[in-house]
Every structure is written in structure tokens, then in C-alpha cells.
Amino acid sequence: MLDSKTLALAQDVRALLARGLEALARSGVETEPLKQALLDLDGPFLLVIAGEFNSGKSSLLNALLGGDFLKEGVTPTTDRINLIGYGPEPRLEPHSPELVVIQLPHALLKDVRLVDTPGTNAILQHHQVLTEKFLPRADLILFVTSADRPFTQSEADFLDFIRAWGKKVLLIINKMDLLTEAELQQVLEFVQKGADQTLGHVPPIFSVSARRARQGDLALSRIPQLEAHIRQVLTHQAAILKLGSPLGVLARLTAEARPTLEARLKEAEKQLATCRELDSLLKRHEERTRRDFTGQVALALQAIDEVRSRGERWLDEKVRFSKFLELMRSSKLKQSFIDDVVKGANQEIERRVLEAMNWLAKRDRELLEDALSLLREAPGLRQAEQVGPEERAIAGNLEEALRSFDVEAEATQLRDFIQESLRGTALAEVGVMGLGLTILLVAQKIAFDILGIFATVFGAILATSILPRRKETAKARLRERLAELRSTLERALNETLDSEMHRTRERFNNLYRTPCTRLENSRDTTLAQLQQTDQLQGEALELRRRLG
């Protein structure tokens, strides 16, 4: 009957194992050993006998059980896991090619299941694999070494494997009858030193002779002392060892999960570096495009400034007393203003605006080309086998976008946006007449407005004093109206740039943000899993410490 403290610890162990099983399953780590450990919590105590072939494992079990139940020999004789439990009559029942269940009427087996495993370090590698697969289930391990070749390097390696699973060990030096007492003492000291170096502590060590026990000399065989120790462990420590065993399995699996999760995290970070490069590329593209587009805007607006300069020169040349008679002919004067100042300006402004739109469209195409170049030069993409699936998805999206990108169609779309932007302004007719004709119409209206300033002074007696002032007024009106036109066009160009930058950002993000978001989610999930496995490992070790 378990005491209240042990019962509470048992509940904590089960809860931790359940959490660990769920977390490891989500991480994609092998969970079968932990599932089995949970099942074994409700099963009998498993005492596993392990060791290299010809160390005398089977003969030791026969000595403990007092009969010839298991094969013995100088060559590997145990080729399957022998699970030995209590039964009223001797019985052998093969369960699988790897497992045989044996029932024997022995009192010791009422409290424990003995497990005979194939010898390690044998020619038949399959034997060692069977033993290594079963070891995580052990609640206590009797590790058998032979007195005539004690604690070999391969045995030290196997003990290190046992230590990694957090198993409690009893070390058995068999065949002590082959040595003198002095030699046995030397072997004992050698084994103690080796165990301390391998396990970090010296476990209980028993030197026995299974052969003497089989010959009936139990006192000299020291088998009774070993059996007494096993019974004492079963009486006082079985529950604690039973609870500690699956905690060792959890600690081992979480430790094994870390390199896998770290590799997964590293791969996600490597691919996310490409995403960050694409983010930076887009940002640099926007900054350069906005900076350089000011030059395109300046070229378009320069045509309006040239109209203003020509208009002011025309006023200086035409509005003077020496040409007073010409000023009287208003229709001819207006035609002269249009021919000398306005003519051709509308086509030039339209041409420069369309050039700006073409320039903007080409920059969008260059962004796609730069992105593909960046991907091809990225370290992860230089060798096809190193390319992550998300990087391949991004590259495919960019290639398809570049193939389908039409600079002329894009420029036309931008021109349409400018026309839409100009609705409700002085250039409202642009949607019907086109940008060039609309500018011409506006220029004509400006001409009529300016020349109307002189209509009231022609022929006036005071013309000599009024005319110079009216010319300056006309220049000011010309500058004002052209400044309005300039401001309207500049605002439309900048609105088009803002709209295109927003559209470019959305389209470009759509090419890589979805794969990158998946990578970010994968990275965050993996990081959380790493933190959780570390926490689980820490809790498992802390629970084992509480178990003692």
C-alpha cells in the first residue's frame, strides 16, 4: 500500500508524463518509449538482466530461479527477450519473433518480472538492437560483467547508454570462482572506478558465481546475498523506482528532441533570412522610387514652367506702346499667344507624364528582377538540395509574376489613375478629352483670362499710365493660373505614386508573405516546443530528485 506522499508523487508523475507525451507528439518526436512507460506504470516491476554475450546472464538467472530454465553456452544463446513471470506450472509461450513469455512457480516472481535480454557486443547486431529497444522499460537493471574480462570499453559504452535513460543499476561480477580473493579485490576496485567514471557514481556491486550455485554451493556462490538485496529493493524501493523509470524515459526523449528541434529552428531562421532580405529590398525599392520619382515630376512640371517663361516674354514683347495697334486686334493677339506660348506645350506635358508612368512601371518590374536575383544568390539557394519548400514557393511566385508583368499595360493603368485623380480639378475634362487636349483647353482659358485684362484699356486716354500696370497684372495672373495647373498636376502625380507604392507593396507582399508567415509560425511553434521540452526535462529531473 502506497503512503500519501508516494500517491501524490504518482499523480504528479502521471500528469507530467501525459503532458510530455502530448508535447513530444506535437514536436514529431518518437513517443513509443514514453507510451510504453505509461502503460508499464500499471504493470509489474521489471528487473532486466543485461550484459555482453558470454558474461553469464542466463546462468545467473537460472541460479536465482534454482533450475535449468534458460539456455546457457559460450556462444550467444538468448536470441529473444525472455519475460519471466509467476505461474503455477512451468510454461513457455512465444508471443512474437522477438518476445517469449515464461511462467515459473517461483516466489520471487510474484513481486517482479525478470527479463533476460540477448547479449550485447555480439556478432549478431540484431541481438543488441533488441536489448536496446527493451531497456527503456526497465525499472531496475542487473548489469552482468564477467570476472575474467571485467568492465570492457564496450560495456562502459553500454552502461553510458543505460545512464542516458536514467535507469538504476546493480552491477554483477559473475564467474568470481575463476579468481583468487586478491584478484577478485583488484577486479572489484577496477569495476568501481569504471562505474564511477561512466555513471557518475558507484552503484551497488555484487560478485557472484552462478556456476557454484548450480553446483549446490549457495554460500560460496553469494547468490543468496544478491537475492536478498533484490527482495529488499522490491520491499522498500519498488514504488519509487517504478515511478522514476518513466521520468528517465521522458528526460531522455526531451534531450533527444532538442537537436531535432534546434535543427528545425535553424532551418526556419535560414529561410526567414530570405524573407527579411525581401522585406529590406521592398523598403529600399520604395525609398529609391520615391526619391527618384521627384526627378520625373520635375521634368513634367518643367514644361509648365517653360510656358510661364514664354508667356512672360510674350507679354514683354507684345504689350508696349509701339504695338498699340496690334493690341487693339484682340482675336489676332489671342492666336499669337496660343501659337507663341501655348502651342506644343500640351503634347510635351502629356509626353513627360507618360514617360514618368513608364518609368514607374519599369521600376516595378526591376523590383521583381532584383528579388529573383536576391533569391538565386542566397546561400540556401545555391544548391538545390538545400532549398527549403517555402523558398521554392517564393521563387516560383516571383518567376510567374515576372513572366506575366506587362510594362505598357502597367503604365496605361497608371495613366488612367492620373486621369481619375484629376477629376474635380481644373483639369476635370481629362477623362473625356485626354491629358494633352485638356491642358491645351486650360491654357487657352488662361490666355483669354490674361488678355481680357487689356480689353478695358485699349483706346483709353490714360493708356500710357495704365498699360504697364496691366501688363504686370497679366504676368501675375499668368503665374497664378499656371501655378494652379502646376500644383494640380504635381498633386496628381504624387497621388499616383502613393497609390502605386501601396499597390506594389501589396502585390509584392502577396508573392512571399504567405510562405514567410508560415515560416514565422513554424519558427515560433518550434521555439515554443524547445522551451516546453526544456521545461518538461527540468520538471522530470526535479520529480526524480523528489523521489530520491
Side-chain angles (χ1 to χ4, degrees):
M1 192 74 177
L2 298 179
D3 58 39
S4 59
K5 180 181 178 183
T6 306
L7 282 171
L9 285 171
Q11 291 178 345
D12 291 344
V13 168
R14 289 182 184 277
L16 180 60
L17 294 178
R19 283 170 46 216
L21 188 60
E22 182 182 358
L24 291 172
R26 285 200 305 267
S27 301
V29 176
E30 174 58 48
T31 58
E32 194 56 41
L34 191 57
K35 289 179 183 177
Q36 187 62 57
L38 266 169
L39 292 173
D40 286 341
L41 268 179
D42 297 319
F45 192 91
L46 291 176
L47 179 60
V48 175
I49 289 79
E52 294 192 345
F53 79 96
N54 200 30
S55 61
K57 300 187 305 301
S58 297
S59 61
L60 175 64
L61 275 172
N62 283 332
L64 282 169
L65 296 171
D68 295 326
F69 302 111
L70 303 169
K71 292 180 181 180
E72 303 177 27
V74 294
T75 59
T77 54
T78 305
D79 58 357
R80 290 180 287 185
I81 300 292
N82 292 313
L83 185 60
I84 308 166
Y86 181 80
E89 298 293 335
R91 183 180 177 185
L92 186 149
E93 183 180 350
H95 270 223
S96 72
E98 298 179 350
L99 178 65
V100 174
V101 175
I102 300 172
Q103 290 184 348
L104 296 172
H106 193 285
L108 179 64
L109 298 175
K110 292 182 178 180
D111 301 316
V112 66
R113 293 282 178 88
L114 298 177
V115 183
D116 187 24
T117 60
T120 62
N121 199 31
I123 295 175
L124 299 174
Q125 185 65 25
H126 175 63
H127 289 184
Q128 178 143 342
V129 172
L130 277 177
T131 301
E132 289 180 355
K133 283 176 63 178
F134 197 88
L135 275 182
R137 298 184 60 184
D139 297 314
L140 180 63
I141 294 175
L142 268 62
F143 189 84
V144 183
T145 185
S146 180
D148 57 345
R149 48 179 178 81
F151 214 85
T152 63
Q153 182 58 52
S154 56
E155 287 178 324
D157 293 340
F158 196 71
L159 271 176
D160 188 57
F161 175 79
I162 292 172
R163 180 197 57 78
W165 285 100
K167 300 300 178 181
K168 296 291 185 180
V169 177
L170 295 182
L171 277 177
I172 313 299
I173 304 173
N174 195 13
K175 305 181 184 180
M176 59 173 280
D177 53 290
L178 299 178
L179 306 177
T180 66
E181 281 299 323
E183 290 172 334
L184 182 59
Q185 185 60 36
Q186 288 181 341
V187 167
L188 183 60
E189 291 174 359
F190 179 76
V191 171
Q192 287 174 334
K193 182 178 179 182
D196 191 27
Q197 290 175 343
T198 304
L199 300 174
H201 68 281
V202 179
I205 301 176
F206 292 85
S207 54
V208 301
S209 172
R211 184 170 66 174
R212 284 177 178 169
R214 300 298 295 121
Q215 292 172 347
D217 195 350
L218 285 177
L220 288 176
S221 73
R222 300 186 187 175
I223 292 293
Q225 290 92 319
L226 173 61
E227 184 176 349
H229 181 81
I230 292 172
R231 289 185 182 279
Q232 185 179 19
V233 168
L234 293 176
T235 302
H236 301 289
Q237 300 180 46
I240 298 300
L241 290 174
K242 193 72 180 170
L243 291 173
S245 180
L247 292 175
V249 173
L250 177 59
R252 167 64 183 245
L253 292 179
T254 52
E256 285 183 345
R258 172 164 267 282
T260 301
L261 292 172
E262 285 177 340
R264 196 181 300 166
L265 183 62
K266 184 178 180 181
E267 176 60 24
E269 288 290 1
K270 180 181 78 70
Q271 294 191 57
L272 277 172
T274 301
C275 297
R276 288 189 288 271
E277 284 292 332
L278 289 170
D279 287 339
S280 297
L281 177 67
L282 177 60
K283 183 179 179 181
R284 292 194 302 271
H285 167 80
E286 290 184 358
E287 291 172 350
R288 286 199 307 266
T289 301
R290 287 188 180 280
R291 182 191 65 219
D292 296 346
F293 191 68
T294 57
Q296 298 295 320
V297 173
L299 286 173
L301 300 181
Q302 187 179 12
I304 297 177
D305 294 338
E306 290 169 357
V307 170
R308 177 183 53 76
S309 297
R310 289 198 299 271
E312 289 181 353
R313 286 198 302 271
W314 185 90
L315 286 171
D316 285 336
E317 182 180 342
K318 297 295 184 181
V319 182
R320 57 178 64 179
F321 289 115
S322 60
K323 297 190 177 183
F324 188 77
L325 292 178
E326 291 182 24
L327 291 174
M328 296 292 291
R329 304 187 189 101
S330 61
S331 59
K332 187 176 180 181
L333 191 65
K334 290 174 182 177
Q335 188 60 47
S336 172
F337 183 86
I338 290 172
D339 291 342
D340 296 343
V341 177
V342 176
K343 191 175 181 179
N346 59 317
Q347 293 97 331
E348 182 63 19
I349 293 171
E350 183 173 32
R351 183 184 66 80
R352 294 185 187 184
V353 168
L354 291 179
E355 282 182 353
M357 298 304 97
N358 273 296
W359 179 90
L360 201 52
K362 287 176 181 176
R363 292 305 293 264
D364 287 347
R365 181 182 177 86
E366 287 172 8
L367 173 62
L368 296 175
E369 292 170 341
D370 290 345
L372 271 174
S373 296
L374 184 150
L375 282 178
R376 288 165 183 154
E377 292 170 4
L381 289 171
R382 287 176 185 161
Q383 296 181 354
E385 64 271 16
Q386 295 179 349
V387 180
E390 304 299 2
E391 286 174 311
R392 282 195 293 270
I394 293 169
N397 292 344
L398 287 168
E399 288 169 354
E400 177 58 31
L402 189 57
R403 275 195 300 271
S404 60
F405 192 88
D406 186 333
V407 172
E408 290 185 7
E410 186 72 14
T412 300
Q413 201 170 3
L414 291 171
R415 182 201 63 194
D416 293 343
F417 182 87
I418 278 194
Q419 292 180 348
E420 185 63 30
S421 179
L422 289 171
R423 291 185 187 277
T425 69
L427 301 176
E429 296 89 344
V430 70
V432 179
M433 303 175 60
L435 183 59
L437 288 176
T438 302
I439 290 175
L440 178 60
L441 180 61
V442 171
Q444 289 174 341
K445 288 180 179 179
I446 292 173
F448 297 153
D449 184 26
I450 291 169
L451 295 178
I453 294 172
F454 301 103
T456 58
V457 300
F458 296 150
I461 298 174
L462 298 177
T464 54
S465 61
I466 294 174
L467 189 59
R469 293 200 300 272
R470 290 298 174 93
K471 178 167 67 174
E472 292 307 316
T473 301
K475 285 184 178 181
R477 183 72 59 82
L478 175 66
R479 286 192 290 268
E480 179 186 343
R481 295 300 302 277
L482 287 176
E484 291 174 2
L485 176 61
R486 191 183 195 279
S487 176
T488 299
L489 186 58
E490 183 178 18
R491 184 168 55 252
L493 286 168
N494 286 325
E495 286 176 358
T496 302
L497 174 66
D498 290 339
S499 173
E500 183 61 10
M501 287 292 92
H502 177 74
R503 203 158 61 98
T504 297
R505 190 182 310 113
E506 282 192 341
R507 287 186 304 188
F508 193 66
N509 279 333
N510 287 339
L511 297 176
Y512 74 98
R513 260 293 124 207
T514 298
C516 287
T517 298
R518 286 197 295 266
L519 281 171
E520 289 166 351
N521 292 339
S522 174
R523 176 203 57 196
D524 294 344
T525 299
T526 304
L527 190 58
Q529 289 170 343
L530 261 174
Q531 293 169 344
Q532 189 173 28
T533 54
D534 288 345
Q535 182 179 351
L536 287 168
Q537 186 179 32
E539 289 184 42
L541 295 175
E542 173 59 21
L543 261 180
R544 291 192 71 190
R545 187 193 63 77
R546 287 168 58 192
L547 287 167

